[in-house]
Amino acid sequence: MTAFENNIDITEDLIAEHGLSADEYQRVLDIMGRTPTLTELGIFSVMWSEHCSYKSSRLHLKKLPTEAPWVICGPGENAGIIDIGDGQAAIFKMESHNHPSYIEPYQGAATGVGGILRDVFTMGARPVANMNALRFGEPEHPKTRHLLSGVVEGIGGYGNCVGVPTVGGETNFHPSYNGNILVNAMTVGLADADNIFYCAAAGVGNPVVYVGSKTGRDGIHGATMASAEFTEDSEEKRPTVQVGDPFTEKLLIEACLELMQKDAIVAIQDMGAAGLTSSSVEMASKGDVGFELNLNNVPQREEHMTPYEMMLSESQERMLMVLKPGHEGEAEAIFRKWDLDFAVIGEITDTGNLTLTFDGDVVADIPVAPLTDLAPEYDRPWVPSEPKADIKAEDVAAPADLGDALLKMMGSPHLASRKWIWEQYDHMVMGDTIQRPGGDAAMVRVHGTEKGLAISTDCTPRYCYADPVQGGRQAVAETWRNITATGATPLAITNCLNFGNPERPEIMGQFVECLKGMGEACIALDYPVVSGNVSLYNETNGTGIHPTPAIGGVGLIADTSKMTTIAPKAEGEVLVLIGGGQGHLGASLYLDIIESREDGGAPEVDLDKERHYGDFVREQILGSKVSACHDISDGGLLVALTEMSLASSIGFDIDLGDNLPIHAAAFGEDQARYILSVTAAHAEQIVKDAQDENIPASILGKTQGTDLIVKGQMNIPLQQVLDLHRNWMPEYMRAEHSA
């Protein structure tokens, strides 16, 4: 066969550079029946990379629950889809851009946002909200400020310019991320349930169309780079980081949504990881057809690009479509109007092959099905994690002064205000954000209705490290509680599963057991997985990150006028604790911040209690009996109360009793707990109703004044807490510019 670039020898070193093992390359030879061309080798390399094929995780992902009556489309498409009534659907997904963001934080984070936006609008949805989940190394690490600054600027720069609000997220610090930060981006969109677009190509002879930006050399081998751990030469990988243009993305959103109102599109797919390769292969594979592409027709912004470069480029803001015959002119007029490239680059065939031509030569001719169906799937060896030994509260020193301990907690990097971050994001653009960053969950109005979408991202990696099963449960349950605390009903999750090297049995064990816990929680809470992403090899020189299965949850409230926030509305409201506990201090922030320890087991996550208690709390909120609600998580009860005071500028006067050691009562991280702020008229009835349903409930005290008072233990001004809480991050980041 005549082939461009076929004069390049396929050596063992070249195969290794492409991330293929000897066994995997032998599988390529068996499929092809000959030595592949360089372009064909590149295509197999990216399609069989960990990033694209999920070869270490696919076996275990199949065990997650993905169905419910309200699920329109689960995993397998660009994003998940749920029915939100009235002929409307919410479409959402979370993805990682970890490796690129460590190498080039601004562009890595920016293109992460751009990529997840395309995953959503390619299905016919208008993006209405962005979220993120960020993990950085310890603040003292020499790279942390630079990485934090660049990532936040990249997220804000892209999201703000494209006009989609960034409405919330989370940011954590831990030494395990010193050499490998995590940047997980989530987008939620809205679509008409009867006008959703999928990627399965159909119709032999139908035109295959390229739209958007031109193809350059940025991002080549991006998927392969994201499938390997970092070494000392990571900085040399800058050429594999894509460059984003949010203004072009905005044009692309509008052009695609305009064309989607016509009867022109058969299938559509964004060019994400592995670019033109993955989009064409996925469309052909889903439709069980072949594609023949003429690469001379691909719009290019650089001279003398080779077929290999065009197929593996991860240039941003590009889409691939299959159109109905005769609609090419109509489609081209729309994209030209929006000042975007449009080119017919091929057609659907009945060969079942991906056939590429360039300068009249066939440069690749690969059966499509094996690229997906025969991609390696590994049942990697794994060992169970030994849960860390539990710690009794009496074996942990109590603070000499409860107020001093609280001040230290609230002013620490773990709990300090993230306002410096989210005030750089436009969270009000589009005019439908009705609960801003800083609460339990963001809330976005479904435009033109009374409905609202509640959105939360969460995970507690220290729990996953201490006990992966409990940590997996807690990650799911925490987003469920966050959404419940607004009054919304949690409906489904997306996830971004960030782990170390799966070839190490202990890391693979963390993955398997976190998924076990996640699956148990999803079933118990009726909260299925509809989309997600796996990011492995998050290691540097053999040191892995804490297991971090970040969860993005979405819920629905029918009437946003009944929504709650974490801020009490007036002095004299009664603070009610829902849920009990033993004052669990293992793997807690108190242990870390006050005692400089990270030992101890994770708290137990009783899923029956989570469901029962949460449903009760939501019932009270929707019954208009609750002024404010906050779930209790990082830092425990006293931290949660303080966060409510910071949100409202109203102090509290409470009694923690003497059933537990004071530090266990104040800072224990027992699960399935909420604080309700209610009027005096409702307080006793809520407690009675809870107790009648075998739910622990008690009155803590009331909101009042401008001091934080714990009977017999603490009396400190709220302003003192506020100063420490809000100043840590701005002061920390100022040092970046003065260094």
Side-chain angles (χ1 to χ4, degrees):
M1 124 186 199
T2 304
F4 186 89
E5 298 172 332
N6 206 25
N7 59 336
I8 296 177
D9 290 334
I10 307 300
T11 64
E12 290 184 5
D13 287 346
L14 190 61
I15 294 164
E17 284 176 21
H18 281 76
L20 293 170
S21 69
D23 288 344
E24 289 168 350
Y25 182 65
Q26 183 58 53
R27 186 180 297 198
V28 172
L29 294 177
D30 294 342
I31 290 167
M32 299 296 292
R34 58 174 172 78
T35 301
T37 67
L38 178 63
T39 300
E40 290 168 340
L41 180 69
I43 290 170
F44 274 103
S45 165
V46 293
M47 291 307 301
W48 287 6
S49 69
E50 191 73 63
H51 191 74
C52 292
S53 75
Y54 297 94
K55 57 190 175 185
S56 297
S57 58
R58 221 158 61 236
L59 179 71
H60 302 286
L61 294 173
K62 297 171 186 175
K63 304 171 187 175
L64 292 172
T66 60
E67 297 179 349
W70 51 88
V71 174
I72 296 173
C73 178
E77 279 287 341
N78 286 290
I81 311 173
I82 58 173
D83 189 333
I84 60 169
D86 307 309
Q88 295 176 306
I91 300 180
F92 58 98
K93 189 180 182 184
M94 183 190 289
E95 276 202 344
S96 63
H97 233 223
N98 304 335
H99 286 56
S101 299
Y102 183 78
I103 295 168
E104 185 62 66
Y106 182 92
Q107 291 296 348
T111 53
V113 173
I116 198 63
L117 283 165
R118 287 194 299 280
D119 277 338
V120 168
F121 77 73
T122 191
M123 302 195 74
R126 178 170 292 280
V128 296
N130 288 334
M131 297 280 283
N132 53 72
L134 312 177
R135 264 87 190 177
F136 297 95
E138 57 194 329
E140 298 78 17
H141 191 274
K143 283 192 173 182
T144 298
R145 282 189 188 86
H146 164 70
L147 293 170
L148 174 59
S149 176
V151 165
V152 169
E153 190 178 354
I155 291 170
Y158 205 100
N160 296 352
C161 291
V162 86
V164 177
T166 299
V167 295
E170 55 172 343
T171 301
N172 298 138
F173 300 91
H174 190 271
S176 74
Y177 307 106
N178 280 347
N180 201 123
I181 65 173
L182 302 183
V183 176
N184 297 170
M186 177 179 175
T187 293
V188 180
L190 289 170
D192 292 333
D194 62 356
N195 196 35
I196 292 169
F197 293 82
Y198 298 95
C199 73
V204 172
N206 280 352
V208 177
V209 173
Y210 172 120
V211 300
S213 291
K214 290 180 168 59
T215 294
R217 291 187 171 94
D218 51 325
I220 294 173
H221 287 306
T224 307
M225 180 266 288
S227 304
E229 64 180 83
F230 282 143
T231 57
E232 288 88 348
D233 65 353
S234 295
E235 297 298 323
E236 298 172 12
K237 297 181 179 178
R238 289 183 189 276
T240 64
V241 177
Q242 311 94 319
V243 177
D245 180 354
F247 299 105
T248 299
E249 181 103 339
K250 173 62 173 173
L251 300 177
L252 189 60
I253 291 173
E254 299 304 331
C256 287
L257 292 178
E258 182 176 340
L259 183 60
M260 285 168 172
Q261 299 306 309
K262 316 290 184 183
D263 187 26
I265 299 174
V266 175
I268 181 170
Q269 176 76 20
D270 78 293
M271 296 191 209
L276 186 53
T277 288
S278 64
S279 56
S280 56
V281 168
E282 287 170 16
M283 294 178 80
S285 172
K286 289 281 177 63
D288 197 23
V289 296
F291 270 26
E292 182 172 333
L293 305 181
N294 180 355
L295 298 183
N296 290 91
N297 292 345
V298 171
Q300 300 160 52
R301 69 167 183 259
E302 299 186 45
E303 294 183 354
H304 309 302
M305 289 193 71
T306 66
Y308 178 96
E309 291 171 329
M310 282 185 269
M311 291 304 295
L312 270 63
S313 167
E314 293 185 7
S315 294
Q316 297 292 286
E317 295 88 39
R318 302 179 301 158
M319 310 285 281
L320 198 63
M321 298 181 179
V322 174
L323 298 181
K324 294 180 180 179
H327 287 269
E328 296 93 329
E330 177 183 37
E332 181 171 8
I334 289 173
F335 282 91
R336 297 295 184 198
K337 180 185 77 173
W338 289 101
D339 201 24
L340 296 166
D341 276 283
F342 176 98
V344 177
I345 64 169
E347 66 178 22
I348 294 179
T349 69
D350 61 3
T351 65
N353 281 17
L354 176 65
T355 305
L356 309 177
T357 63
F358 184 72
D359 287 350
D361 291 331
V362 175
V363 296
D365 195 12
I366 307 175
V368 168
L371 285 169
T372 54
D373 300 345
L374 295 183
E377 178 176 288
Y378 295 126
D379 185 0
R380 298 216 184 263
W382 64 277
V383 295
S385 301
E386 185 68 33
K388 301 293 186 284
D390 208 359
I391 293 177
K392 295 180 180 179
E394 52 265 32
D395 293 333
V396 177
D401 185 294
L402 187 66
D404 287 347
L406 178 65
L407 289 168
K408 188 173 181 181
M409 296 274 286
M410 298 308 297
S412 74
H414 300 289
L415 291 170
S417 170
R418 284 5 184 188
K419 186 177 181 181
W420 180 90
I421 294 175
W422 57 256
E423 68 185 0
Q424 297 184 53
Y425 306 150
D426 188 340
H427 48 273
M428 298 303 292
V429 66
M430 300 181 78
D432 283 318
T433 305
I434 52 176
Q435 191 156 164
R436 307 180 185 192
D440 280 324
M443 184 79 74
V444 176
R445 183 186 294 106
V446 177
H447 192 72
T449 76
E450 297 301 315
K451 297 185 296 188
L453 291 177
I455 314 163
S456 171
T457 61
D458 224 307
C459 180
T460 311
R462 62 183 186 277
Y463 295 167
C464 297
Y465 182 74
D467 185 334
V469 175
Q470 294 294 342
R473 288 179 179 176
Q474 195 273 343
V476 172
E478 174 67 11
T479 65
W480 194 87
R481 285 200 302 270
N482 288 339
I483 290 168
T484 292
T486 69
T489 300
L491 293 178
I493 68 168
T494 184
N495 59 61
C496 200
L497 306 175
N498 308 273
F499 291 80
N501 185 342
E503 296 169 50
R504 292 204 284 142
E506 66 274 19
I507 300 297
M508 197 66 212
Q510 292 175 347
F511 182 86
V512 171
E513 292 188 311
C514 277
L515 259 66
K516 179 177 186 291
M518 287 170 53
E520 291 170 350
C522 289
I523 291 169
L525 301 174
D526 224 6
Y527 195 37
V529 180
V530 296
S531 61
N533 170 246
V534 178
S535 176
L536 302 177
Y537 295 95
N538 289 292
E539 298 204 357
T540 298
N541 296 326
T543 300
I545 62 165
H546 270 6
T548 311
I551 305 297
V554 174
L556 179 70
I557 190 168
D559 182 356
T560 54
S561 70
K562 295 183 177 181
M563 172 193 79
T564 51
T565 69
I566 71 170
K569 305 303 181 289
E571 293 192 41
E573 291 184 356
V574 178
L575 297 166
V576 178
L577 171 63
I578 300 294
Q582 302 302 312
H584 185 95
L585 290 174
S588 68
L589 284 186
Y590 175 83
L591 208 63
D592 184 350
I593 298 167
I594 305 300
E595 294 293 306
S596 300
R597 295 168 55 184
E598 293 190 11
D599 54 329
E604 178 189 4
V605 181
D606 185 318
L607 295 168
D608 291 337
K609 290 179 180 177
E610 291 283 1
R611 180 64 184 263
H612 187 35
Y613 299 3
D615 287 349
F616 175 82
V617 166
R618 191 183 313 106
E619 182 182 346
Q620 307 311 305
I621 293 171
L622 296 179
S624 301
K625 299 175 184 177
V626 178
S627 165
C629 179
H630 192 15
D631 86 302
I632 301 173
S633 56
D634 286 345
L637 173 61
L638 190 55
V639 166
L641 283 164
T642 303
E643 288 170 341
M644 296 175 79
S645 286
L646 290 168
S648 63
S649 299
I650 302 172
F652 58 73
D653 187 346
I654 64 163
D655 186 351
L656 292 179
D658 55 8
N659 292 331
L660 295 171
I662 188 61
H663 57 311
F667 303 118
E669 296 184 8
D670 304 85
Q671 302 295 294
R673 297 190 297 163
Y674 302 81
I675 301 168
L676 309 183
S677 187
V678 303
T679 62
H682 290 302
E684 290 187 6
Q685 188 63 50
I686 287 174
V687 171
K688 181 180 182 301
D689 290 346
Q691 292 172 347
D692 287 347
E693 293 192 30
N694 295 315
I695 298 172
S698 59
I699 292 176
L700 294 166
K702 61 182 179 180
T703 62
Q704 71 167 38
T706 56
D707 292 335
L708 307 184
I709 301 170
V710 177
K711 182 180 178 182
Q713 297 288 341
M714 183 184 87
N715 188 335
I716 58 176
L718 175 59
Q719 186 65 44
Q720 188 178 359
V721 183
L722 178 63
D723 291 342
L724 284 169
H725 180 66
R726 70 183 176 188
N727 289 342
W728 178 82
M729 188 167 282
E731 290 176 358
Y732 174 73
M733 294 310 298
R734 271 196 290 272
E736 161 84 356
H737 302 291
S738 61

